[in-house]
Amino acid sequence: MEFDLVIRGGTVVTAADVGRSDIGVKDGRIAALADNLPRAASEIDASGLLVLPGGIDSHVHFDQPMGPGIVMADGFESGTRSAAAGGNTTVLSFALQPRGQSLRQSVEDYHKKAKGQSYVDYGFHLIVTDPTPAVLGQELPALVSSGYPSFKVFMTYDDLVLTDRQLLEVFSVAREHGALVMVHAEGYDQIKFMTDRLEREGKTHSYYHAESRPELVEREATHRAISHAELIGIPIMIVHVSGREAMEQIQWARGRGMKIYAETCPQYLVLTADDLKGLNMDMSGAKYVCSPPPRDRASQDAIWRGLEGGVFQTFSSDHCPFRFDDEAGKNHPKARTSFRWVPNGIPGVAARLPILFSEGVAKGRITLSEFVALTSTNHAKMYGLYPRKGSIMIGADADIVLWDADKKVRLTQDLMQHGSDYTPYEGMEVTGWPVKTLLRGELVADDGRIVGKPGYGQFLPRETTRRLEPAARS
Ligand code: URP
Ligand code: ZN
Ligand code: ZN
């Protein structure tokens, strides 16, 4: 066979194996894995580099409607540019249903936002905020079977929270139609109570965001979500787990034989609640406000044990970007009066892979294959993209990142290429860096330069099948 491209001499890493192989690419797909492939029209010398499946970030927020006066800092153009710069070839973003609007309409709106804008392939999870009889009876079933087999539900936030009854209704639809529910597990009433009390005490600085939602708030909601899942009889995915207490609930449920999946994120490995203090409790603490909040060093250690021991299937960024020096972002006039009003979320889609590689692989905490599973393969399997995405195997899309395992880089705002005006990881030294990112055989990022075109990224309808078996006890 004549290949369009041969990637020669690299060390190929999959979730199962690590070994030397050339890769032959034909029509955007991997057509051969072998030594000494014949010369092709185009060649990339990967000697000395790792050859990994392109990163799949299954938890990003782009262009999401926010409260009055707040604007998310990334749409699909800048968000996927940042994703490509960080070694990702697929993102799963959220199509949020504003209350009072049909879910189908929300999905159509997101298609318009993404069309012609994306540097990498993309799909949508649904965010269900208004589970009316029409949504539960018609829209969700139709959307699940037409390429959107995952939805997120919230147990907090005024505009998003579902009651327990509504959670049960959504879970029932997921069971009937084979969808996966992603749960934001923090309890609304506990947070409201704490927020009111902290404000009464004059504790309004961004730091108190962390005190308003301690780990037990996440633990209680995780347990409640698990109980609802048990009642209905479905697997669920607990997203952005921040520490030991929620992990214990997940492990407890698995010990009972339940399929409870879990995701964690970079902020829970390298940030702590003290970052929310900023410089002497100034406004810069708002740069780190996200939910659940980063915790402490002991929680970071617990999350590492969870990554090493199989508690987590996916490592995602929860990229949810706002500008800092901007009244439409973290410096919204109301946000300066209380942490209650600081938009929740931080950027991270470009930093996710370097942080996990550096802190995990380079420091000997996880293996190369575990890194690939946590950042690519498991995302594809969980969310219905496997085997087209998430691995280096014959027939898969040639979504490949060439990775320099020894390259030392200091993370800076410039390198992130996102729409935010800061990175929460500024100044962090990492070892390991994506030097070339290829999507379906085409170079999209080359040593930090974006060489792809917005619009080359395609929408990916997804299937409901092929989940993982989470470790029963870890
Ligand atoms: O603070 C965060 N994580 N905001 C993003 C929305 C979410 O809950 O994932
Ligand atoms: Zn969430
Ligand atoms: Zn999120």
Side-chain angles (χ1 to χ4, degrees):
M1 181 190 288
E2 263 188 41
F3 302 113
D4 304 324
L5 166 70
V6 169
I7 300 170
R8 203 175 287 286
T11 299
V12 174
V13 184
T14 69
D17 300 300
V18 180
R20 294 291 293 268
S21 178
D22 298 343
I23 300 179
V25 177
K26 181 86 185 157
D27 298 330
R29 297 200 169 206
I30 296 170
L33 287 163
D35 270 344
N36 300 317
L37 288 175
R39 284 202 73 77
S42 180
E43 297 250 336
I44 295 177
D45 178 8
S47 34
L49 298 174
L50 299 174
V51 181
L52 315 176
I56 302 176
D57 194 338
S58 58
H59 189 152
V60 301
H61 304 263
F62 299 150
D63 217 341
Q64 195 165 289
M66 301 301 302
I70 307 277
V71 180
M72 202 164 259
D74 279 313
F76 280 81
E77 202 271 339
S78 61
T80 58
R81 179 180 356 115
S82 183
N88 299 285
T89 49
T90 297
V91 292
L92 296 179
S93 182
F94 292 90
L96 180 144
Q97 174 202 22
R99 289 218 175 109
Q101 186 173 305
S102 93
L103 204 45
R104 168 61 74 187
Q105 183 62 50
S106 315
V107 170
E108 281 170 19
D109 291 348
Y110 269 83
H111 274 291
K112 285 192 196 121
K113 291 175 186 200
K115 200 168 170 52
Q117 299 294 310
S118 192
Y119 288 93
V120 302
D121 286 353
Y122 60 93
F124 302 140
H125 309 290
L126 314 170
I127 291 180
V128 183
T129 66
D130 199 0
T132 60
V135 166
L136 295 169
Q138 287 104 49
E139 292 197 313
L140 268 180
L143 286 164
V144 169
S145 62
S146 52
Y148 312 88
S150 47
F151 22 94
K152 184 172 177 190
V153 292
F154 286 79
M155 298 172 79
T156 189
Y157 293 128
D158 290 332
D159 299 341
L160 310 177
V161 63
L162 299 189
T163 65
D164 287 314
R165 172 64 190 251
Q166 289 173 321
L167 290 171
L168 291 165
E169 303 285 4
V170 173
F171 284 16
S172 300
V173 175
R175 181 187 158 96
E176 197 176 335
H177 299 279
L180 182 65
V181 186
M182 308 161 79
V183 182
H184 180 125
E186 291 184 296
Y188 179 86
D189 282 315
Q190 289 183 333
I191 293 169
K192 278 282 173 207
F193 175 85
M194 291 298 290
T195 301
D196 291 345
R197 190 163 89 181
L198 287 161
E199 282 185 346
R200 274 200 309 276
E201 293 168 355
K203 294 175 174 168
T204 55
H205 182 268
S206 294
Y207 169 69
Y208 294 104
H209 171 78
E211 291 208 351
S212 72
R213 42 225 300 160
E215 267 195 78
L216 75 86
V217 167
E218 191 183 352
R219 179 236 294 159
E220 181 277 328
T222 302
H223 184 88
R224 191 153 37 101
I226 287 169
S227 302
H228 293 343
E230 185 173 1
L231 192 64
I232 304 301
I234 51 161
I236 52 171
M237 161 68 85
I238 308 291
V239 292
H240 44 48
V241 173
S242 72
R244 177 178 57 81
E245 300 214 16
M247 274 172 54
E248 282 173 354
Q249 299 304 310
I250 292 158
Q251 289 170 292
W252 169 81
R254 287 196 197 146
R256 291 163 62 85
M258 291 182 68
K259 274 195 186 162
I260 305 295
Y261 301 106
E263 170 203 81
T264 193
C265 315
Q267 50 269 39
Y268 307 119
L269 293 179
V270 297
L271 300 179
T272 67
D274 280 347
D275 289 306
L276 277 70
K277 292 179 177 164
L279 301 169
N280 288 323
M281 303 290 266
D282 71 352
M283 197 61 199
S284 68
K287 290 180 178 176
Y288 305 90
V289 168
C290 61
S291 294
R295 310 288 183 187
D296 58 13
R297 300 263 173 242
S299 300
Q300 293 178 351
D301 291 345
I303 295 289
W304 276 117
R305 285 197 299 279
L307 285 165
E308 291 158 13
V311 175
F312 296 107
Q313 286 65 54
T314 56
F315 184 79
S316 308
S317 66
D318 192 6
H319 180 86
C320 185
F322 300 96
R323 289 174 54 79
F324 171 67
D325 194 9
D326 195 326
E327 294 209 336
K330 299 281 187 181
N331 264 290
H332 188 274
K334 276 171 89 177
R336 292 201 288 263
T337 68
S338 169
F339 66 87
R340 182 196 293 264
W341 305 110
V342 176
N344 282 203
I346 59 176
V349 69
R352 174 184 75 121
L353 294 175
I355 288 175
L356 188 65
F357 190 91
S358 186
E359 294 295 309
V361 180
K363 293 192 176 169
R365 288 168 162 140
I366 57 172
T367 65
L368 276 172
S369 286
E370 285 167 342
F371 174 77
V372 165
L374 285 163
T375 56
S376 182
T377 314
N378 290 354
H379 300 250
K381 288 184 175 174
M382 292 297 308
Y383 295 113
L385 291 168
Y386 192 82
R388 177 175 170 193
K389 303 287 189 188
S391 193
I392 295 184
M393 65 172 117
I394 291 173
D397 280 358
D399 295 355
I400 290 168
V401 58
L402 303 190
W403 192 274
D404 183 341
D406 301 317
K407 187 163 174 165
K408 292 197 188 306
V409 174
R410 187 180 290 276
L411 299 183
T412 59
Q413 160 65 3
D414 283 356
L415 291 174
M416 299 296 106
Q417 307 207 35
H418 54 206
S420 264
D421 54 354
Y422 76 98
T423 167
Y425 308 110
E426 184 74 37
M428 188 180 162
E429 289 262 11
V430 292
T431 302
W433 195 251
V435 289
K436 287 188 196 300
T437 307
L438 293 105
L439 173 63
R440 288 179 270 106
E442 297 290 329
L443 203 54
V444 290
D446 193 3
D447 228 348
R449 266 179 334 114
I450 299 300
V451 296
K453 296 271 174 293
Y456 179 62
Q458 290 177 353
F459 171 68
L460 300 168
R462 295 175 292 121
E463 293 166 10
T464 53
T465 50
R466 290 191 197 261
R467 300 265 153 70
L468 293 161
E469 280 302 320
R473 275 233 173 265
S474 25

